[in-house]
Amino acid sequence: MWRPTSPLDLPDALARWLTTTPGVVRVVIDGPAAAQPDSLAAAMIEPLRALGRPAVHIPAATFWRDAALRLEFGHEDVEGFLSWLDADALRREVLLPLVERGEYLPSLRDPVTNRSTREPVQTAEPSTVLLVSGELLLGLGLPFDRVVHLAMSPAARARHTEPSLAWTLPAFENYDETVDPASLADVVIRLEDPRRPAVRGLP
């Protein structure tokens, strides 16, 4: 059942939900740029810490492939866009070592400059909540413990996507059809109008 909510209430509500899971929790906040998954994840850090849980936010864009691979067929190649994320690196450097050794790499590459960030491996506390945010993150076999999907219809995406990113819209239609991300999510937040979200799956 869908329940209306406020954008200001969402970070706190999601934080309370996540704190019911003990130990390390690997969370994905998946959604198109128009839904602002990075902003939502960043807004959840303080509520999680206030509830006594260490929290880390990793934007998935910091684990994009090298630009030479991403842009091999041009800057507006929809097929290429579907595989911009280096899913193997995210799994190997963050998601697996976090639970196996309590370690993670905060970032791999600056998405703007394309240069290696050269950040050192960090140690995570045993009850850390890791938030990975970005686009097209589901259906890749990545080991997330909790899944939040920010859903927008094609019409809503078209209304709220920046003109410079309009070329990416067919990729999200493909994603909806082939992956059906809402069906994989524990919590779905519907953002037809980002000022008036509705949520499904939160207690």
Side-chain angles (χ1 to χ4, degrees):
M1 176 180 290
W2 293 103
R3 176 164 51 87
T5 187
S6 159
L8 296 178
D9 292 339
L10 275 173
D12 289 325
L14 289 166
R16 288 193 299 271
W17 167 61
L18 290 171
T19 57
T20 63
T21 302
V24 170
V25 187
R26 300 164 297 182
V27 185
V28 59
I29 310 292
D30 171 70
Q36 301 185 26
D38 291 347
S39 296
L40 177 57
M44 292 167 61
I45 295 295
E46 287 307 316
L48 283 164
R49 291 175 178 169
L51 291 167
R53 296 297 291 269
V56 175
H57 175 212
I58 295 182
T62 62
F63 279 83
W64 279 351
R65 300 180 189 277
D66 185 274
L69 297 174
R70 296 198 320 267
L71 308 177
E72 182 179 3
F73 298 104
H75 287 259
E76 297 187 359
D77 175 51
V78 173
E79 285 293 320
F81 178 62
L82 290 166
S83 59
W84 276 18
L85 179 71
D86 190 339
D88 288 339
L90 184 61
R91 180 186 296 107
R92 181 181 66 247
E93 304 293 347
V94 179
L95 299 174
L96 294 183
L98 184 69
V99 295
E100 292 171 355
R101 303 188 298 277
E103 298 177 346
Y104 66 95
L105 185 69
S107 64
L108 182 66
R109 182 174 290 108
D110 186 306
V112 176
T113 67
N114 195 48
R115 294 176 180 170
S116 170
T117 55
R118 302 187 184 279
E119 287 200 71
V121 170
Q122 300 291 315
T123 300
E125 296 182 52
S127 58
T128 293
V129 176
L130 171 77
L131 304 170
V132 177
S133 61
E135 304 173 297
L136 309 172
L137 300 179
L138 302 180
L140 301 173
L142 292 171
F144 292 112
D145 304 304
R146 295 290 180 268
V147 176
V148 178
H149 175 63
L150 309 181
M152 301 180 98
S153 68
R157 284 194 296 261
R159 286 196 305 271
H160 296 288
T161 295
E162 295 180 13
S164 63
L165 296 175
W167 65 272
T168 66
L169 292 173
F172 292 100
E173 294 185 27
N174 177 280
Y175 184 58
D176 285 346
E177 292 172 4
T178 61
V179 176
D180 190 10
S183 72
L184 303 177
D186 301 297
V187 171
V188 181
I189 300 168
R190 190 168 60 193
L191 295 164
E192 292 304 288
D193 180 348
R195 298 168 300 177
R196 298 177 178 84
V199 63
R200 185 183 73 196
L202 274 181

